[in-house]
Amino acid sequence: IPRQPVLRRTDRLLRIETTSLGEFCAQVLTPYSLPVPLGKLEPGTYQIEVVHVLSRSSIRLAAFSLTVQMGLTSTNAGNYAVGQVARGSIVAAFGVRLATSTESASSQPLPTSLGGTTAVIRDVTGTDRPAPLFFVSPQQINYQVPVETIEGPASLTLSNRQGETAMSRLEVVRVAPALFTMDGSGQGLPVASLIRTQANGNQIQESVWRAMPGGGIVPRPIPLGPQTDDLFVVLYGTGLRFRSALSHVTVTIGGVAAQVLYLGESGGYVGLDQCNVRIPRSLQGRGVVDVTLIVDGIRANQVQLTIE
């Protein structure tokens, strides 16, 4: 059995040489392992040669190719959780050299090739489906999991304009609830709007934030208004739409159970879902309160509103 491997690198050729022998192996076909640290390799295909060097000659033990792919991590675009993604949801994938330019989709339906980059999801049945793309850049790709994807283990393969590929393992599920936030961190002030219904039937749309004079935004204290007003918050997220039943969706605001009137797709934007919730009047004067959404027993990222 050869021992003491030495790695010699020449561009895309990796030559592994052994020069000394270890114990004698009586059974020629007995398998053995020969661990060789290869160090950091750039993405691409390498030719590997394993050679045993003798005093006057050498013996070629093996020759094969090795493909190194770019690293890739897929996360829920709402809360950046790694692991499970829902079919039909928006996913943010991070890596290096994922695209050769930065581009955003400008029309619907979304393209499946953007800036020369493509994304293909292979589901548990072995079926390949191109993923619609929102955005591509060298370090980040935003895509939608095709609605037809079968739930279970899956893989994502990205290919850029230069033919370089990156792969990520996925676990596709029915729901993976996440709420978008104003600062994109998955915490704090949610991407949301308020709808106030007055006694005369008028509906007024209001904001959950206000602009600062020097730039930036801060939470807007929400006035509940007179007793005759009904106030609703519309929370926007992804991975929500395939909930089993509305009765299996719960929302608490400041620890108080709130009535959920709707949870499903939000029209006008691919992969975007919304949850319409009545704000309990008992919260008046509470200040900053936590908003907790649970869909089919799965908790979304917690966000905060400010109640005047």
Side-chain angles (χ1 to χ4, degrees), residues 18-307:
T18 60
T19 56
S20 66
L21 295 175
E23 72 263 20
F24 173 72
C25 180
Q27 297 179 5
V28 176
L29 297 181
T30 300
Y32 61 90
S33 62
L34 184 68
V36 181
L38 297 181
K40 182 178 180 180
L41 298 177
E42 292 295 317
T45 300
Y46 297 81
Q47 298 302 314
I48 311 293
E49 287 185 351
V50 183
V51 177
H52 183 69
V53 179
L54 302 173
S55 58
R56 296 183 179 180
S57 63
S58 61
I59 303 173
R60 195 183 201 190
L61 301 179
F64 55 92
S65 62
L66 171 69
T67 300
V68 178
Q69 295 179 322
M70 298 175 290
L72 182 65
T73 301
S74 288
T75 70
N76 188 310
N79 58 7
Y80 302 109
V82 178
Q84 297 183 334
V85 296
R87 57 191 182 93
S89 68
I90 305 171
V91 178
F94 299 92
V96 295
R97 291 162 55 179
L98 304 180
T100 57
S101 59
T102 298
E103 299 188 32
S104 298
S106 57
S107 62
Q108 292 189 22
L110 294 177
T112 55
S113 178
L114 191 58
T117 292
T118 60
V120 175
I121 291 180
R122 174 171 293 181
D123 66 22
V124 68
T125 69
T127 303
D128 289 337
R129 294 182 178 87
L133 299 172
F134 296 94
F135 168 83
V136 301
S137 72
Q139 287 80 39
Q140 179 177 346
I141 304 290
N142 289 0
Y143 66 91
Q144 184 196 27
V145 179
V147 173
E148 302 83 7
T149 304
I150 305 301
E151 296 162 23
S155 64
L156 167 73
T157 301
L158 287 182
S159 301
N160 66 19
R161 190 191 298 274
Q162 295 176 338
E164 297 173 315
T165 61
M167 292 190 67
S168 173
R169 294 188 181 277
L170 303 174
E171 181 68 27
V172 179
V173 295
R174 185 164 42 83
V175 292
L179 297 174
F180 291 106
T181 57
M182 294 297 293
D183 64 1
S185 69
Q187 300 177 346
L189 186 65
V191 175
S193 59
L194 297 170
I195 299 175
R196 186 182 302 275
T197 302
Q198 298 177 317
N200 60 6
N202 287 341
Q203 286 193 334
I204 303 171
Q205 187 164 331
E206 302 177 13
S207 176
V208 299
W209 58 271
R210 58 184 176 87
M212 295 290 287
I217 62 172
V218 293
R220 169 182 174 259
I222 301 170
L224 296 186
Q227 291 286 338
T228 52
D229 281 1
D230 244 351
L231 191 60
F232 305 88
V233 62
V234 181
L235 302 165
Y236 294 98
T238 193
L240 313 175
R241 65 184 60 181
F242 292 115
R243 44 66 173 180
S244 57
L246 194 61
S247 59
H248 294 166
V249 179
T250 62
V251 173
T252 59
I253 305 177
V256 178
Q259 182 185 8
V260 179
L261 291 90
Y262 172 81
L263 187 143
E265 294 184 45
S266 181
Y269 196 82
V270 176
L272 186 67
D273 302 326
Q274 71 181 65
C275 182
N276 300 3
V277 184
R278 176 179 275 112
I279 298 178
R281 297 201 64 86
S282 60
L283 295 173
Q284 188 159 359
R286 287 280 301 275
V288 178
V289 291
D290 292 331
V291 181
T292 302
L293 167 67
I294 300 175
V295 181
D296 288 347
I298 304 173
R299 186 185 299 264
N301 50 309
Q302 199 167 71
V303 296
Q304 286 82 39
L305 294 173
T306 302
I307 309 296

